[in-house]
Amino acid sequence: MSEATHDADQTGDGTRAVRAGLPEAVKHEPTLPGPVFAAHFHLPGEVTGPYSYGRDDNPTWTLLERAIGELEAPGRDDAETLVFASGMAAISAVLFSQLRAGDAVVLPSDGYQVLPLVRTQLEAYGIEVRTAPTGGDAQLEVLDGARLLWIESPSNPGLDVCDIRRLVEAAHARGALVAVDNTLATPLGQRPLDLGADFSVASGTKQLTGHGDLLLGYVTGRDGDAMAAVRRWRKIVGAILGPMEAWLAHRSIATLPLRVDRQNATALTLAEALRQRPEISGLRYPGLPDDPSHKVASQQMRRYGCVVSFTLPTRARAERFLAALRLVEDATSFGGVRSTAERRGRWGGDAVPEGFIRMSVGAEDPEDLVADVLRALDASAE
């Protein structure tokens, strides 16, 4: 291990986050340069250098990609990060750049609710799609002959966890690539590349940036040829991030450790309080010692996330509960500094009960948030 790699590995999450991706200091220049708005760059003569056209690269992207890479794969010289216009743009880039007609891909049957739409498109291109649940490492049973294994751990919205190392080893033994959706965990909760995965993919819309004001996706990968294909897909499709969004995202990453630690601690406090409520069933949070996923999660995660899920007896009860909340917004997505919750079944893409609630815990004072949730539960019973 080189000295530089050793130093990177020994840096704490907070120190790494506030300095991630910053350029070398230049007198009288800002610490984090402002966004570069450019469709084209001066390019006389032969095409050389990093920046030629705005769809291909941008200096503001470069700094953000460097920052995310330093969080996802600290100390690794073999990793590359590419940013995209959204999480689904990043997901699509990996799937459609790595798969061809006749290939097979394994997707989680309990993953993000847009994946069924992705399945339809993959099958239209002649790609075989197999599915299995996240829990119990069930994807192992359908791996043979697959070109790519797609893992979502913890799963969204059910919060199941699989043994990523075990699945990666089994997939690689069969000649398959592995991509892990790291959205819910964030790089501070889990590093898929350290667990052996080929790609870590995420929606930076969520907790990575944490303010609910921009769309962003990224792919971090450790195989040069595979990442070249992902980069080529971005160029072809043009699913690029605007420079202002890139700059805002980079600025937001500096507070990620503060937000994550506060939100995760409050999520555990809330889950413990909800465990005492008789009207709640199916409570899930990987940080709870008695959660079905806790043992595996504790072996591969450093933080357990900000999302808690549970089920109320009926759709009507769930809707009354959501309407009674004062500090929690009824909104989709998760990971923001303001707590949100929704009856997930309203979208129709998740196999969840009608009263299933996905709650994203924000940065409010824990006692205030817990009191609001318990008061809303009481009010919804009437």
Side-chain angles (χ1 to χ4, degrees):
M1 179 182 292
S2 69
E3 182 178 347
T5 300
H6 176 77
D7 290 343
D9 286 344
Q10 296 305 310
T11 301
D13 286 337
T15 303
R16 184 179 295 115
V18 299
R19 302 203 60 81
L22 298 183
E24 291 295 326
V26 177
K27 190 174 183 178
H28 305 308
E29 293 294 324
T31 305
L32 177 62
V36 175
F37 297 99
H40 59 266
F41 302 83
H42 288 296
L43 196 68
E46 295 299 319
V47 178
T48 59
Y51 306 111
S52 58
Y53 186 61
R55 190 181 67 249
D56 297 335
D57 256 315
N58 177 289
T60 313
W61 302 353
T62 300
L63 297 180
L64 175 60
E65 289 169 341
R66 189 186 304 164
I68 294 172
E70 289 172 12
L71 299 182
E72 280 280 355
R76 296 188 69 124
D77 296 328
D78 61 345
E80 177 183 3
T81 298
L82 297 171
V83 292
F84 290 82
S86 68
M88 280 309 304
I91 289 170
S92 299
V94 173
L95 290 171
F96 291 105
S97 70
Q98 304 304 312
L99 296 170
R100 304 289 185 271
D103 286 345
V105 60
V106 177
L107 301 179
S109 59
D110 54 345
Y112 181 45
Q113 55 105 358
V114 179
L115 287 181
L117 297 178
V118 174
R119 174 178 186 163
T120 299
Q121 193 62 56
L122 288 168
E123 290 175 338
Y125 289 157
I127 296 163
E128 178 189 353
V129 179
R130 308 170 189 167
T131 62
T134 299
D137 300 342
Q139 290 172 301
L140 280 173
E141 303 302 319
V142 291
L143 267 180
D144 285 351
R147 164 67 179 161
L148 176 66
L149 167 63
W150 191 273
I151 294 171
E152 191 176 296
S153 180
S155 61
N156 173 26
L159 303 183
D160 264 328
V161 172
C162 61
D163 186 334
I164 295 175
R165 282 192 186 90
R166 183 185 183 205
L167 286 167
V168 166
E169 290 173 1
H172 285 171
R174 292 164 172 80
L177 296 167
V178 181
V180 176
D181 187 325
N182 206 33
T183 302
L184 203 146
T186 82
L188 299 194
Q190 180 173 269
R191 293 181 188 145
L193 268 61
D194 286 352
L195 299 172
D198 301 286
F199 304 98
S200 181
V201 188
S203 167
T205 307
K206 313 298 194 297
Q207 197 171 19
L208 183 80
T209 54
H211 293 81
D213 54 7
L214 58 87
L215 296 177
L216 161 69
Y218 69 85
V219 180
T220 300
R222 59 188 181 88
D223 181 279
D225 291 340
M227 288 302 292
V230 174
R231 179 183 289 273
R232 186 167 56 251
W233 181 264
R234 184 177 70 176
K235 178 182 178 73
I236 293 168
V237 176
I240 59 171
L241 188 64
M244 189 65 191
E245 287 80 4
W247 184 85
L248 286 169
H250 197 167
R251 181 205 60 173
S252 299
I253 285 174
T255 62
L256 179 61
L258 302 174
R259 292 185 280 107
V260 162
D261 285 343
R262 175 62 170 262
Q263 292 172 258
N264 288 15
T266 304
L268 179 59
T269 299
L270 177 62
E272 290 169 339
L274 292 173
R275 192 164 49 179
Q276 311 303 318
R277 300 291 300 211
E279 69 268 52
I280 282 176
S281 62
L283 175 66
R284 296 300 303 270
Y285 182 67
L288 284 172
D290 58 351
D291 186 272
S293 293
H294 181 73
K295 182 178 179 181
V296 174
S298 64
Q299 294 169 354
Q300 64 192 23
M301 299 183 73
R302 299 180 298 136
R303 295 171 176 86
Y304 298 107
C306 64
V307 176
V308 177
S309 67
F310 55 92
T311 300
L312 289 169
T314 64
R315 171 176 176 168
R317 177 72 186 274
E319 290 176 345
R320 290 198 302 271
F321 164 71
L322 292 170
L325 291 165
R326 295 171 183 164
L327 298 180
V328 183
E329 300 170 358
D330 190 343
T332 195
S333 197
F334 56 86
V337 291
R338 290 174 292 279
S339 293
T340 61
E342 68 173 335
R343 192 182 67 80
R344 192 63 186 165
R346 65 183 176 174
W347 296 97
D350 297 306
V352 295
E354 286 290 331
F356 180 92
I357 300 291
R358 184 184 71 180
M359 179 169 288
S360 172
V361 174
E364 299 87 357
D365 288 317
E367 58 271 22
D368 293 339
L369 183 63
V370 171
D372 186 47
V373 170
L374 297 183
R375 181 199 53 75
L377 285 171
D378 290 338
S380 67
E382 300 172 357

